[in-house]
């Protein structure tokens, strides 16, 4: 697990785990690492130590499954892990021999904390490598000394943003920031430099340590003065003030980790490193056992990895590969899909009604790539090669032998049927046809197809280059084969899929609209719009329900509702329909028209439209923020539960990931189904019943949910699947 060798009297410790694809800190590797270090410490012929890895990555961090296992039941075990790491890393820097981290690839979390414990850090400049302490993005904090060593090494102003944002940086940037000391271009050079440094520094000291004049022992300095000023200095006060304000604005108290990080740094930098590490350990346990950490690790790390690996793919279908893609409609969506597909190396025929219209789609791809180059991402040569893969066309013949054709023409049933009939015969022998419709049921659209088993929904989100999710919709007749082709394609373009069954609005649009609809309900009840918007944001949604309705477009909301009315899926009295109608009739069509629930003056700012007060006069008594938050969240969760029970959504993971990635359901809850677990199923049912009694049946828990609560089952996933 840790290869041990002796090179010119230097112990070379090479991490080389076989039980996991990457090197991680876990129950097996931590003791093995400590044993290898002890061997080097105690061997009098060893004059220094180099820590490196035999794999492409250095150490990817702590094993998150280990953290999750102990999350809700074992705080003592959690403290043990942190104390163990601290003992080992502190042991490295006080062992009396020089220790160098030869960082040959990615070093994250605990992996980089091990490097911080070394006296010198040299990294290999590899394009794929990233370095950093991303714990905060998983609801955690660095529990292996990261919050203590990084600020002591870099100063508060540089270290705090790295800790609070969890940014992963390239080796080059790490050098510029001072996170590493040297950068090299080959593995040979990495070892040479490490050996040379050891030769030149026989008894190094960390900047936060000193030698006890009496005993000669290495101990932490009492008077901590990191670069840039101490915690209590005017700079420190400013940095902490700004940091706390920023954290509160961003997290609204829903995520404990960032504030805990600030506390670790603030308290830890007033004492020596040993006491600082104890402080960090205490906060680590607090956040590592929090519900937010559980949700984030479960859904946004482990779950996301599973989805990206293709858990939903029918296993019996051999791998497929889209070698030529056709896209119908070079508008906003078609152009975006062409861009991501070409970026993954797939040749694309982008067809519109004229070559000029199709060319605009290609220009869009070029513009996105140019912007990326301005931000330092990619090269002009690469961009040119990508753009060259897109062929704009107005000819059906150019679609010949496509393995997949995606239609992204206007949202019009008749038009979609027409382009399906025209383009389908051009598909390769086993090719499939997909629709990017956002609202029209797939099984209905498939009626225009001669091969409905080869017809599927691929619902991309706007802007396609930024949105990670693709909702894959299975129609009644969609075959496993078509699903496999679609999922292989989504994987190839590096997006994350969820698979749902056909239904009006599928999963994402159906549940998302309950958020905007509840915002409109509140408005009609006379709740102050400012309060409504604050409640949405305080609940952890990225934007308030009224602002997001403007972004979607009130006109579109009205049109879709009107269509549902005609289809008999909605009644005239529906609140969202009525509210959207009122606004649209007054010319307030949404953000694009610079007039919706908000006014949008030219300078990018927005203000709630004063006319709302006349249309929906606020009542004298206003509800509490807590009540509004619950209404906005519970409404979405109950709709998700119904989607699950109706079989629209097929797994808890799809529901959770879909809700987070499609419309920004708060990650601290773990997603729209895990929310039930987050508040506890008994509490959830009780509160949902209370809301139903007060505001309407849309909040009423289902019989199945109630039965689960009565049986005391708190694991939603298992009981609903059984
Ligand atoms: P858009 O209006 O930007 O583009 C539609 C394009 O289709 C236009 O360029 C038009 O010239 C072209 N077109 C019309 N008839 C055609 C034909 N016969 N052959 C080839 N091209 C033809 O629309 P959009 O926003 O890109 O939406 C396209 C589809 O994607 C719609 O079904 C929409 O519901 C869906 N969708 C949109 C979004 C979004 O946020 N805009 C998100 C998800 C899905």
């Amino acid at each position: 697990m840790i290869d041990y060798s002796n090179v010119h009297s230097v112990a070379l410790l090479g991490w080389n785990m076989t039980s996991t694809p990457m090197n991680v800190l876990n129950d097996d590797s931590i003791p093995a690492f400590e044993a290898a270090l002890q061997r080097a410490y105690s061997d009098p012929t060893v004059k220094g130590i180099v820590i490196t890895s035999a794999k492409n990555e250095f150490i990817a961090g702590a094993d998150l499954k280990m953290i999750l296992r102990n999350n809700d039941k074992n705080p003592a075990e959690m403290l043990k892990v942190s104390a163990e790491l601290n003992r080992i890393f502190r042991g490295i820097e006080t062992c009396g021999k020089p220790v160098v981290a030869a960082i040959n690839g990615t070093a994250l979390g605990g992996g980089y904390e091990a490097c911080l414990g070394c006296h010198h850090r040299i990294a290999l400049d590899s394009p794929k490598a990233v370095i950093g302490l991303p714990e905060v993005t998983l609801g955690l904090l660095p529990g292996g000394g990261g919050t203590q060593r990084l600020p002591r090494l870099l100063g508060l102003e540089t270290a705090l943003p790295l800790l609070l944002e969890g940014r992963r940086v390239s080796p080059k940037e790490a050098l510029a920031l001072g996170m590493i000391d040297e950068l090299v271009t080959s593995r040979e050079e990495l070892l040479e430099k490490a050996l040379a440094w050891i030769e030149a520094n026989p008894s190094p000291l960390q900047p936060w340590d000193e030698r006890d004049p009496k005993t000669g022992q290495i101990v932490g300095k009492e008077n901590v003065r990191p670069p840039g000023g101490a915690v209590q200095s005017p700079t420190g006060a400013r940095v902490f003030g700004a940091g706390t304000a920023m954290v509160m604005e961003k997290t609204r108290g829903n995520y404990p980790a960032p504030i805990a990080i600030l506390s670790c740094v603030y308290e830890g930098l007033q004492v020596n490193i040993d006491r600082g590490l104890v402080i960090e350990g205490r906060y680590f346990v607090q956040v590592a056992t929090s519900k937010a950490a559980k949700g984030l690790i479960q859904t946004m790390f482990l779950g996301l990895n599973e989805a990206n690996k293709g858990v939903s793919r029918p296993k019996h279908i051999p791998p497929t590969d889209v070698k030529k893609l056709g896209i119908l409609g070079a508008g906003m969506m078609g152009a975006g899909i062409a861009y991501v597909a070409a970026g993954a190396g797939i040749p694309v025929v982008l067809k519109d009604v004229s070559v000029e219209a199709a060319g605009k789609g290609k220009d869009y791809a070029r513009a996105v790539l140019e912007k990326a180059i301005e931000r330092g991402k990619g090269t002009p040569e690469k961009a040119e090669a990508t753009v060259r893969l897109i062929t704009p066309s107005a000819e059906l013949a150019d679609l010949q032998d496509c393995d997949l054709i995606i239609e992204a023409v206007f949202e019009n049933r008749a038009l979609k049927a027409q382009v399906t009939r025209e383009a389908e015969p051009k598909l390769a022998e086993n090719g499939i046809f997909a629709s990017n419709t956002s609202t029209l049921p797939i099984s209905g659209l498939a009626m225009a197809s001669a091969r409905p088993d080869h017809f599927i929904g691929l619902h991309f989100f706007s802007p396609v280059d930024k949105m990670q999710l693709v909702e894959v919709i299975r129609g009644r007749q969609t075959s496993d084969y078509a699903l496999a082709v679609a999922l292989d394609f989504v994987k190839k373009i590096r997006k994350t899929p969820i698979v749902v069954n056909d239904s009006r609005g599928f999963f994402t649009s159906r549940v998302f609209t309950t958020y905007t609809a509840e915002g409109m309900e509140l408005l009609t009840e006379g709740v102050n719009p400012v309060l409504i918007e604050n409640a949405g944001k305080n609940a952890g949604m990225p934007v308030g329900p009224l602002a997001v309705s403007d972004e979607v477009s009130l006109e579109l909301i009205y049109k879709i509702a009107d269509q549902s009315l005609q289809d008999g899926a909605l009644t005239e009295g529906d609140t969202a329909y009525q509210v959207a109608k009122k606004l649209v009739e007054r010319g307030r069509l949404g953000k694009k028209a610079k007039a919706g629930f908000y006014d949008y003056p030219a300078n990018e700012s927005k203000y709630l439209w004063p006319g709302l007060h006349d249309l929906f006069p606020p009542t004298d008594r206003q509800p509490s923020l807590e009540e509004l938050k619950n209404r906005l969240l519970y409404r979405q969760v109950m709709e998700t539960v119904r989607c699950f029970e109706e079989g629209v959504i097929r797994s808890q993971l799809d529901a959770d990931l879909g809700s987070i990635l499609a419309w920004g359901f708060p990650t601290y809850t773990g997603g729209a189904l895990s929310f039930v677990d987050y508040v506890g199923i008994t509490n959830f049912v009780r509160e949902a019943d209370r809301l139903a009694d007060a505001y309407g049946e849309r909040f009423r828990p289902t019989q199945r949910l109630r039965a689960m609560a009565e049986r005391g089952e708190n694991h939603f996933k298992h009981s609903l699947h059984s």
Side-chain angles (χ1 to χ4, degrees):
M1 183 171 308
I2 313 283
D3 301 337
Y4 188 103
S5 55
N6 194 311
V7 185
H8 309 304
S9 298
V10 168
L12 201 60
L13 272 56
W15 277 70
N16 193 8
M17 291 176 76
T18 47
S19 53
T20 51
M22 289 197 252
N23 294 322
V24 290
L25 294 156
N26 68 12
D27 296 337
D28 299 329
S29 66
I30 296 172
F33 183 42
E34 189 168 28
L37 285 165
Q38 288 298 344
R39 181 174 161 192
Y41 299 156
S42 58
D43 183 343
T45 68
V46 166
K47 61 182 184 201
I49 302 166
V50 176
I51 300 171
T52 190
S53 146
K55 300 195 170 204
N56 286 335
E57 302 82 23
F58 181 71
I59 303 170
D63 182 352
L64 290 165
K65 284 192 184 136
M66 174 175 79
I67 304 233
L68 205 54
R69 206 167 49 234
N70 296 315
N71 171 274
D72 42 8
K73 39 188 178 302
N74 215 338
E77 191 59 32
M78 218 63 111
L79 189 58
K80 219 174 91 192
V81 172
S82 162
E84 210 171 12
L85 290 181
N86 277 325
R87 189 185 64 239
I88 298 171
F89 300 162
R90 186 74 183 126
I92 292 175
E93 57 193 7
T94 57
C95 75
K97 300 183 183 188
V99 186
V100 175
I103 311 166
N104 57 295
T106 289
L108 292 173
Y112 178 60
E113 288 179 297
C115 303
L116 284 170
C118 296
H119 301 105
H120 194 68
R121 287 160 289 278
I122 312 173
L124 176 65
D125 188 13
S126 107
K128 283 198 181 145
V130 280
I131 297 176
L133 296 173
E135 284 85 345
V136 71
T137 60
L138 296 168
L140 300 171
L141 62 80
T147 67
Q148 300 305 301
R149 291 191 181 89
L150 202 66
R152 282 170 166 83
L153 189 69
L154 309 181
L156 285 177
E157 276 184 287
T158 311
L160 271 183
L162 288 169
L163 289 165
L164 291 173
E165 290 162 21
R167 211 151 56 83
R168 303 145 187 247
V169 303
S170 66
K172 264 200 191 77
E173 194 179 352
L175 181 70
L177 291 167
M179 294 168 73
I180 59 166
D181 306 299
E182 289 184 69
L183 197 62
V184 296
T185 51
S186 71
R187 271 197 180 240
E188 295 71 41
E189 201 189 345
L190 189 62
L191 187 60
E192 269 167 33
K193 292 251 174 171
L195 295 177
W197 195 87
I198 287 174
E199 194 61 40
N201 296 275
S203 55
L205 268 184
Q206 297 283 40
W208 44 87
D209 281 335
E210 59 191 2
R211 223 170 262 282
D212 185 321
K214 282 194 205 121
T215 63
Q217 292 258 318
I218 297 172
V219 291
K221 272 185 199 162
E222 283 304 328
N223 193 2
V224 185
R225 291 222 163 269
V231 169
Q232 309 91 327
S233 67
T235 318
R238 184 172 51 76
V239 173
F240 276 103
T244 310
M246 187 192 86
V247 164
M248 287 318 287
E249 164 68 21
K250 259 192 163 171
T251 66
R252 313 231 169 201
N254 292 321
Y255 298 84
I259 283 291
I261 289 173
L262 280 170
S263 307
C264 281
V265 176
Y266 184 79
E267 293 172 31
L269 255 60
Q270 308 200 39
V271 293
N272 71 27
I273 183 109
D274 289 297
R275 273 179 284 153
L277 293 172
V278 173
I279 291 170
E280 181 192 81
R282 277 206 296 269
Y283 281 109
F284 175 74
V285 174
Q286 228 176 60
V287 300
T289 53
S290 69
K291 287 181 177 179
K294 182 179 176 181
L296 280 159
I297 296 173
Q298 206 157 260
T299 306
M300 294 310 287
F301 186 81
L302 302 174
L304 193 60
N305 279 349
E306 268 193 35
N308 288 338
K309 269 192 234 149
V311 271
S312 312
R313 189 188 185 283
K315 305 279 175 290
H316 62 282
I317 308 289
T320 68
D321 187 23
V322 170
K323 294 203 177 71
K324 181 178 175 186
L325 172 70
I327 299 174
L328 308 177
M332 184 156 88
M333 298 307 287
I337 299 167
Y339 163 78
V340 292
I346 304 174
V348 180
V349 174
L350 184 56
K351 185 187 170 301
D352 208 297
V353 287
S354 67
V355 182
E356 292 72 41
K360 279 194 192 145
K362 183 168 177 165
D363 294 344
Y364 168 84
R366 185 175 286 118
V368 177
L369 285 161
E370 279 167 5
K371 264 199 199 144
I373 294 172
E374 275 170 29
R375 288 197 315 270
K377 285 202 172 144
T379 61
E381 297 73 40
K382 259 195 172 167
E384 192 42 47
T386 303
V387 172
R388 224 179 297 132
L389 286 172
I390 303 174
T391 309
S393 164
E395 299 299 326
L396 280 170
D398 289 335
L399 296 169
Q400 195 63 45
D401 290 332
C402 278
D403 303 297
L404 168 65
I405 294 177
I406 303 174
E407 72 77 11
V409 299
F410 303 129
E411 189 77 341
N412 175 301
R413 251 188 219 121
L415 178 64
K416 285 186 188 294
Q418 181 202 323
V419 298
T420 305
R421 276 193 294 267
E422 283 170 1
E424 212 178 42
K426 303 292 172 200
L427 277 170
E429 197 186 332
N430 228 352
I432 71 162
F433 195 94
S435 173
N436 179 47
T437 174
S438 39
T439 54
L440 304 170
I442 290 300
S443 307
L445 293 178
M447 282 160 71
S449 164
R451 295 187 302 168
D453 56 328
H454 279 45
F455 194 101
I456 199 163
L458 277 179
H459 182 203
F460 285 82
F461 296 81
S462 170
V464 181
D465 57 311
K466 296 218 174 69
M467 297 291 283
Q468 195 183 341
L469 187 75
V470 180
E471 186 177 26
V472 180
I473 305 126
R474 248 192 125 135
R476 264 195 302 279
Q477 299 184 61
T478 305
S479 62
D480 279 357
Y481 170 76
L483 179 61
V485 175
L487 288 173
D488 290 344
F489 169 70
V490 172
K491 188 174 187 176
K492 191 167 178 183
I493 59 171
R494 293 185 284 273
K495 298 274 179 199
T496 301
I498 59 166
V499 178
V500 311
N501 284 321
D502 205 7
S503 142
R504 184 173 283 275
F506 319 125
F507 166 63
T508 56
S509 306
R510 173 169 160 184
V511 181
F512 165 68
T513 44
T514 60
Y515 176 55
T516 50
E518 197 57 27
M520 297 191 204
E521 289 282 351
L522 293 170
L523 198 59
T524 56
E525 286 171 27
V527 180
N528 192 319
V530 178
L531 198 55
I532 299 174
E533 295 294 82
N534 273 343
K537 284 186 276 183
N538 271 294
M541 298 293 295
V543 243
L546 304 180
V548 80
S549 302
D550 272 4
E551 277 171 29
V552 170
S553 141
L554 290 171
E555 189 184 26
L556 186 66
I557 292 175
Y558 172 65
K559 270 192 188 159
I560 294 173
D562 200 42
Q563 179 70 51
S564 302
L565 202 66
Q566 288 170 32
D567 295 347
L570 204 73
T571 58
E572 185 87 30
D574 179 78
T575 307
Y577 170 72
Q578 286 299 339
V579 172
K581 189 167 176 228
K582 262 191 188 167
L583 275 108
V584 168
E585 280 170 357
R586 283 159 182 80
R588 306 204 65 90
L589 309 182
K591 189 174 175 184
K592 260 195 192 157
K594 293 196 181 302
F597 286 121
Y598 285 79
D599 276 329
Y600 299 86
N603 58 2
E604 298 256 318
S605 54
K606 64 176 194 279
Y607 307 99
L608 275 158
W609 176 44
L612 282 182
H613 278 253
D614 304 323
L615 275 186
F616 310 101
T619 50
D620 291 342
R621 274 178 59 108
Q622 292 287 309
S624 73
L625 199 62
E626 221 37 50
E627 182 81 349
L628 299 180
K629 274 164 61 178
N630 276 1
R631 278 182 66 172
L632 291 169
L633 291 179
Y634 275 66
R635 171 106 188 245
Q636 297 176 64
V637 176
M638 271 318 303
E639 194 66 20
T640 305
V641 169
R642 282 189 281 267
C643 282
F644 195 74
E645 293 189 6
E646 288 167 22
V648 172
I649 200 89
R650 310 179 320 159
S651 75
Q652 171 148 11
L653 179 60
D654 282 344
D656 285 341
L657 271 183
S659 63
I660 290 172
L661 298 180
W663 73 92
F665 193 83
T667 50
Y668 66 87
T669 66
L673 265 196
S674 284
F675 182 90
V676 176
D677 211 13
Y678 178 81
V679 294
I681 191 158
T682 315
N683 297 338
F684 180 87
V685 168
R686 192 185 312 120
E687 177 63 7
D689 264 331
R690 188 189 68 77
L691 291 171
D693 292 342
Y695 306 108
E697 288 305 304
R698 59 190 181 278
F699 292 102
R700 189 72 69 197
T702 60
Q703 279 314 318
R704 207 163 162 183
L705 205 54
R706 201 182 295 287
M708 276 169 61
E710 277 161 14
R711 286 196 299 269
E713 290 170 0
N714 60 4
H715 271 282
F716 200 64
K717 178 165 41 180
H718 306 304
S719 28
L720 279 191
H721 268 304
S722 59

